[in-house]
Amino acid sequence: MESLRHDIRYTLRTLRKNPGFAAVAVLSLALGIGANTAIFSIYSSIFLKKLPVEDTGSLVEIYTYELIEEIGLEYSVSSYRDYVDLRDQTTDVFKGMVIYNVNFVVYDTGEESEYIFGEEVSANYFDVLGVKPILGRTFITEEEGVVGAAPTVVLSHSCWQNRFGGDPGIIGQAITLTGHDFTVIGVAPEEFEGLFPIIRSDVWYPITLDPLLHPDSRKLESRSYRTNWIKGRLKAGVTPEQARAALEVVSARLEEEYPETNEGRKALLIPTDKVSLNPFFDRVVKGFTFALMAMVGLVLLIACTNLASMLLARALARRKEIGIRLAVGASRFRLIRQLITESILLSLAGGAVGLALAYLLIQILLTVQPPLLVTLNIHIGIDGYVLLFALLLSVGTGVVFGLLPALKTTRYELTSALRNEYGLMVGRLRRLGLRSTLVVAQVAVSALLLICAGLFLRSLGNASSVDPGFDLREGVVVTLELSESGYTHEQSRAFFNELIARVEALPGVESAAMTERMPLGQSIRITTVYPETPHVEIDEEGVSIDIATIGPNYFRTLGIPIRSGRPFNETDLTEGEPVVIVNETFATTYWPGENAIGKRVQIHDTDEPFRTIVGVASNGKYRSLGEQPRSFLYEPYSQETFSFAHLAVRTSIDGRELLQPVRNEIKAIDRHLPILDIITVREHLELMLFLPRALASILAGLGLLSLILGTTGLYGVIAYDVSRRTREVGIRLSVGAQQSQVLRLIMLDGLKLVGVGTIIGLGLAFLLTRLLGSMLFNISPADPITFAGVTVLFVVVTIAATLNPARKASTVNPVEALRTE
């Protein structure tokens, strides 16, 4: 410890004598460590935080195995009826089992209404989780299943504070949710925000009240109505394997008793500690987070190579000091430890500054919200895991990237070192090319990041030229949810009809239409179809395709051409024969070379009546701008009603001018009806561009940062090389070499390094950018313009970085140069 303290004091003294070196080294590392720490904080907030409930070790997640084609989600939700059977038939292994799901509910103050998040839960929800209220009580088991029981609700701490001012007298008061009075019986603790990690629940109410809130719902009766999540708590001494075996027995029994709804389904169990969102989505989110960390890690790699390069240059400048130490008996190990201590202190200082930078980046990230209907509730911050990560990263960086320079610089020939000459040291370093290798690595990584950024930036520029399949350039999109306000299907249809008539009467409105799914929107609806065709064999499972339920004037409002046949008419939209419209891909897939008009399909199930195709619409983009052509089917809203819908408004003026008039018309019909979202068509399309734009911004920032760090490293290498070759330059000038020849010689050395690094970077980019193809619009992952542009950029940067050192070398006084040691 005494020698360690001596090394630290000595390092601090030497760094104080070289503040410029210390500042550059610390700042370079801070940029890399800070960016990595910020990204890790996202991972920590999602995957490392424990639920604020009692004993998470005995909690398990229970899913229904259901492999959905096209999505591949086998860890799926469950029905209420299946939950009841699983709960009642596994009491020997489970201490308790809860069911829950999250919905929008309408909170009505009497003056205005707004959507809040409500969790429908079983009455034992809080008891099984071990969550104690800070005010009042939670649900009692007797309340579940009692017909006509008084509606009760538990408030979240944030809801209690923000909407009721933290009033302790709220217990026993009534609040209006979805048109019904609920009695407040309790307030949850502040740290508990529900069981959905990215959504903050505002209220909890018994799931058995669902028929009261949604009269048309069959959630409590139908086994095929799967919308709920299940969580269980194991009894003491019961292992997950034992519980899994018990669930398999019950699943087999349900499959035998209810083959129509439970055939092929089984309950899956995973310990809660191993799940954050859902096993399927966990893999997706982790993959995306790791990809971000890998990209940011490349910047840290550049910063670390800069550190190694600077440490090597600094050690070479101290060669006489090192030689003296070796001469008086210092061991090589002792010298290496001294140099490693210096690199670790620099890294720790960089880590400390990096933490401050990470905090700033986190605050910026918290202000960025995807254009979704809901606000994501992610608590990103500097917690214990993040601090430990930053510490380990700092120490690891200091050790790994300080060790190689330390090993190299302690191999000097003692005589040459004492003379303060380069001797064999120079020859070895020039052959090994350590600093040059570091520069090549920096350039290669910078080139990779810049090419990825360039591809995304050019892709975004091309996005406007992608044909989305509909011609709706100016307009408004309104999102409404009527069932949460107590509307029945018939009332919903009457509301939409009146709203369309009112909106179409507004100045500047050309037409309006309702649809439960907007193209390139946030929702995806998939159904099973059974085309009546001799060309394609259709098995009993049918074919999964995308579908939308639409109202009158849909195709005219969105500007979607009908290639053959006709759009839906008034008869189709009321009580006509069952009909559908398909897109071109659907028609050519199942009736190639034939006219699809008049052909028939079954939708949802083989027990459903056949529906006749009356029109073929042009292809479009339904999920993303970069998708390949996919089959799509439209059905009229008379044959499939909906309460969640979008109102698409086609306008001849700027859509922003009609946002408030459309809002006023909605309130004129029902002033208590909250609006989920009301935006322009341009804002609607922003959703599809959010991820590519975010990636382009991140990559552009990382690319620029890496370019700056790489240029700094290149400048340092060239400047150091020039200073080392001062005597050589003097000899060349004294024997007749021209200044232009010296200038060209020095600059060529820099161009060679950058050339090698650029070639390596281009090769890596050519291989890796192929993975980005699905996220690019009208541009190849091997776009020659992007690759050529980055190459030219590095040539320009190299010239700029080497020009000053080369100019100084070419103007050196030969006499002074020859006197240099």
Side-chain angles (χ1 to χ4, degrees):
M1 292 301 298
E2 181 60 32
S3 61
L4 177 61
R5 285 194 293 269
H6 173 76
D7 287 343
I8 293 174
R9 287 196 301 268
Y10 181 80
T11 296
L12 293 176
R13 285 199 306 270
T14 56
L15 291 178
R16 279 199 299 269
K17 295 178 182 178
N18 298 273
F21 161 78
V24 173
V26 169
L27 183 58
S28 295
L29 289 171
L31 292 173
I33 294 175
N36 277 270
T37 302
I39 300 301
F40 179 80
S41 67
I42 300 176
Y43 177 88
S44 174
S45 67
I46 298 176
F47 297 105
L48 298 183
K49 285 188 175 179
K50 300 289 187 181
L51 279 174
V53 300
E54 181 182 279
D55 185 20
T56 58
S58 63
L59 286 178
V60 295
E61 309 296 314
I62 301 173
Y63 302 101
T64 293
Y65 174 85
E66 182 180 11
L67 185 58
I68 303 176
E69 189 177 351
E70 302 227 5
I71 297 180
L73 181 61
E74 52 185 310
Y75 299 96
S76 189
V77 286
S78 306
S79 69
Y80 179 78
R81 298 310 312 169
D82 285 348
Y83 153 75
V84 172
D85 287 326
L86 291 173
R87 178 196 65 189
D88 295 344
Q89 298 180 36
T90 56
T91 54
D92 55 332
V93 293
F94 286 101
K95 183 179 180 180
M97 188 180 294
V98 301
I99 189 172
Y100 59 99
N101 66 70
V102 66
N103 286 314
F104 287 118
V105 293
V106 179
Y107 169 59
D108 192 346
T109 64
E111 298 295 329
E112 59 181 12
S113 300
E114 63 175 317
Y115 283 111
I116 62 176
F117 280 118
E119 267 191 72
E120 291 184 327
V121 301
S122 52
N124 62 344
Y125 177 86
F126 290 100
D127 292 336
V128 172
L129 295 178
V131 175
K132 307 298 181 184
I134 59 172
L135 276 181
R137 63 175 179 85
T138 58
F139 308 116
I140 54 177
T141 305
E142 287 75 11
E143 288 175 336
E144 185 171 29
V146 177
V147 178
T152 55
V153 65
V154 173
L155 304 180
S156 71
H157 186 274
S158 62
C159 180
W160 176 52
Q161 290 289 331
N162 298 332
R163 292 180 174 83
F164 304 100
D167 179 13
I170 190 66
I171 305 301
Q173 294 187 22
I175 64 173
T176 303
L177 299 177
T178 312
H180 298 276
D181 288 339
F182 281 70
T183 302
V184 178
I185 61 172
V187 177
E190 182 176 4
E191 64 275 9
F192 184 73
E193 297 181 332
L195 294 180
F196 294 88
I198 60 175
I199 295 177
R200 181 176 60 200
S201 297
D202 296 297
V203 296
W204 292 268
Y205 57 90
I207 193 172
T208 47
L209 296 178
D210 185 73
L212 175 69
L213 302 180
H214 310 105
D216 293 328
S217 171
R218 298 179 60 245
K219 179 181 293 185
L220 300 185
E221 292 80 25
S222 174
R223 290 187 184 272
S224 61
Y225 204 111
R226 294 182 171 84
T227 60
N228 308 294
W229 305 94
I230 301 176
K231 195 182 296 286
R233 185 176 293 282
L234 301 177
K235 284 187 173 180
V238 175
T239 66
E241 289 72 21
Q242 291 173 317
R244 192 175 290 116
L247 290 174
E248 289 177 356
V249 172
V250 179
S251 296
R253 187 180 302 145
L254 294 178
E255 183 175 5
E256 182 178 351
E257 294 179 4
Y258 309 101
E260 291 186 358
T261 57
N262 289 64
E263 184 179 3
R265 301 182 188 275
K266 60 181 179 180
L268 298 179
L269 181 148
I270 299 179
T272 296
D273 286 341
K274 296 183 179 180
V275 179
S276 294
L277 304 173
N278 176 280
F280 173 77
F281 293 112
D282 282 356
R283 290 194 294 267
V284 175
V285 176
K286 282 182 179 179
F288 179 73
T289 307
F290 289 155
L292 281 180
M293 292 188 67
M295 289 187 291
V296 178
L298 294 177
V299 176
L300 178 60
L301 177 62
I302 296 175
C304 290
T305 55
N306 265 355
L307 172 65
S309 183
M310 288 186 288
L311 288 175
L312 180 60
R314 178 173 167 77
L316 292 176
R318 296 166 58 187
R319 58 192 180 278
K320 188 170 184 178
E321 170 199 337
I322 292 173
I324 293 174
R325 291 188 173 207
L326 289 171
V328 298
S331 66
R332 187 182 176 213
F333 173 78
R334 183 69 181 81
L335 292 176
I336 290 175
R337 193 178 71 182
Q338 167 75 68
L339 296 173
I340 290 293
T341 300
E342 180 176 334
S343 67
I344 290 177
L345 286 179
L346 286 171
S347 295
L348 288 174
V353 178
L355 274 175
L357 178 62
Y359 177 80
L360 293 177
L361 291 175
I362 290 171
Q363 300 311 305
I364 295 174
L365 287 174
L366 290 175
T367 63
V368 178
Q369 280 285 343
L372 302 173
L373 291 177
V374 300
T375 300
L376 300 183
N377 182 44
I378 301 178
H379 298 288
I380 306 176
I382 306 295
D383 57 17
Y385 290 112
V386 175
L387 288 174
L388 180 61
F389 173 82
L391 176 62
L392 295 177
L393 188 61
S394 301
V395 174
T397 296
V399 173
V400 173
F401 289 91
L403 182 60
L404 190 56
L407 292 174
K408 290 294 183 183
T409 53
T410 54
R411 289 180 179 174
Y412 301 163
E413 282 191 344
L414 187 57
T415 305
S416 298
L418 291 175
R419 291 178 180 175
N420 202 23
E421 296 175 349
Y422 292 98
L424 185 58
M425 174 190 65
V426 172
R428 284 177 178 171
L429 284 176
R430 294 191 67 172
R431 288 196 303 271
L432 292 173
L434 177 58
R435 299 194 75 210
S436 298
T437 301
L438 295 176
V439 171
V440 169
Q442 289 175 330
V443 172
V445 173
S446 298
L448 173 62
L449 290 174
L450 285 170
I451 287 173
C452 291
L455 287 173
F456 273 101
L457 290 173
R458 279 178 49 78
S459 172
L460 287 175
N462 294 337
S464 59
S465 64
V466 177
D467 181 11
F470 60 89
D471 182 18
L472 184 59
R473 303 185 185 278
E474 288 294 346
V476 175
V477 178
V478 185
T479 305
L480 299 170
E481 169 56 81
L482 301 188
S483 65
E484 297 300 341
S485 295
Y487 279 74
T488 64
H489 288 317
E490 291 302 321
Q491 291 172 330
S492 296
R493 184 180 301 176
F495 174 90
F496 292 142
N497 290 337
E498 181 179 355
L499 178 59
I500 289 174
R502 284 175 169 269
V503 169
E504 287 186 332
L506 292 173
V509 174
E510 296 181 352
S511 65
M514 300 302 303
T515 174
E516 49 85 41
R517 175 185 176 183
M518 279 290 291
L520 300 177
Q522 301 179 29
S523 62
I524 296 175
R525 182 182 165 207
I526 299 173
T527 191
T528 303
V529 300
Y530 301 85
E532 190 178 49
T533 173
H535 304 287
V536 180
E537 183 178 351
I538 308 297
D539 60 28
E540 60 182 13
E541 298 296 327
V543 180
S544 293
I545 68 165
D546 286 29
I547 185 174
T549 304
I550 62 175
N553 295 327
Y554 173 83
F555 295 102
R556 181 164 67 92
T557 299
L558 269 71
I560 300 176
I562 298 294
R563 299 302 186 190
S564 62
R566 61 174 177 82
F568 296 130
N569 56 33
E570 290 301 323
T571 303
D572 301 327
L573 296 167
T574 53
E575 301 298 333
E577 292 296 321
V579 294
V580 294
I581 292 175
V582 300
N583 70 348
E584 294 172 288
T585 298
F586 187 98
T588 56
T589 299
Y590 298 105
W591 297 280
E594 298 182 27
N595 187 355
I597 303 300
K599 306 299 184 183
R600 302 194 307 170
V601 299
Q602 287 177 297
I603 303 178
H604 310 314
D605 195 274
T606 53
D607 293 334
E608 295 288 326
F610 277 97
R611 305 192 187 194
T612 303
I613 297 174
V614 296
V616 176
S618 65
N619 286 335
K621 304 292 185 181
Y622 307 104
R623 299 187 187 181
S624 69
L625 284 173
E627 71 181 10
Q628 296 300 312
R630 68 170 64 249
S631 293
F632 201 89
L633 185 146
Y634 303 91
E635 60 180 350
Y637 78 161
S638 63
Q639 297 166 24
E640 188 72 32
T641 57
F642 50 82
S643 57
F644 175 87
H646 304 281
L647 171 67
V649 183
R650 187 182 189 88
T651 67
S652 58
I653 60 176
D654 190 335
R656 289 172 294 184
E657 298 180 22
L658 283 167
L659 292 177
Q660 190 57 46
V662 171
R663 185 188 297 272
N664 293 340
E665 294 301 327
I666 296 173
K667 293 300 181 182
I669 302 174
D670 185 349
R671 70 182 184 89
H672 294 291
L673 178 67
I675 300 173
L676 266 178
D677 203 13
I678 178 168
I679 56 177
T680 65
V681 171
R682 297 179 186 274
E683 291 171 325
H684 168 76
L685 294 175
E686 285 296 306
L687 174 63
M688 290 297 100
L689 299 177
F690 175 79
L691 183 57
R693 182 174 285 121
L695 287 175
S697 301
I698 292 172
L699 288 170
L702 295 179
L704 179 61
L705 183 59
S706 66
L707 183 63
I708 294 173
L709 292 174
T711 303
T712 303
L714 176 63
Y715 180 89
V717 167
I718 298 300
Y720 174 77
D721 189 61
V722 168
S723 67
R724 191 184 65 176
R725 299 169 63 182
T726 301
R727 186 178 181 87
E728 174 195 338
V729 170
I731 293 175
R732 289 179 180 273
L733 292 173
S734 64
V735 297
Q738 300 297 314
Q739 289 186 351
S740 60
Q741 292 176 313
V742 174
L743 185 70
R744 184 170 60 253
L745 175 68
I746 300 299
M747 295 188 71
L748 281 176
D749 284 347
L751 287 170
K752 289 177 182 177
L753 292 178
V754 172
V756 174
T758 302
I759 291 173
I760 295 174
L762 293 178
L764 291 173
F766 183 79
L767 296 175
L768 296 179
T769 53
R770 296 179 179 276
L771 302 176
L772 306 176
S774 62
M775 303 179 66
L776 301 176
F777 309 130
N778 287 351
I779 188 172
S780 167
D783 177 50
I785 295 178
T786 303
F787 278 70
V790 170
T791 303
V792 172
L793 175 63
F794 273 103
V795 171
V796 173
V797 167
T798 303
I799 293 174
T802 58
L803 184 59
N804 190 53
R807 184 184 57 80
K808 288 184 177 180
S810 65
T811 58
V812 70
N813 188 324
V815 177
E816 296 296 328
L818 291 172
R819 292 176 178 174
T820 303
E821 288 185 332

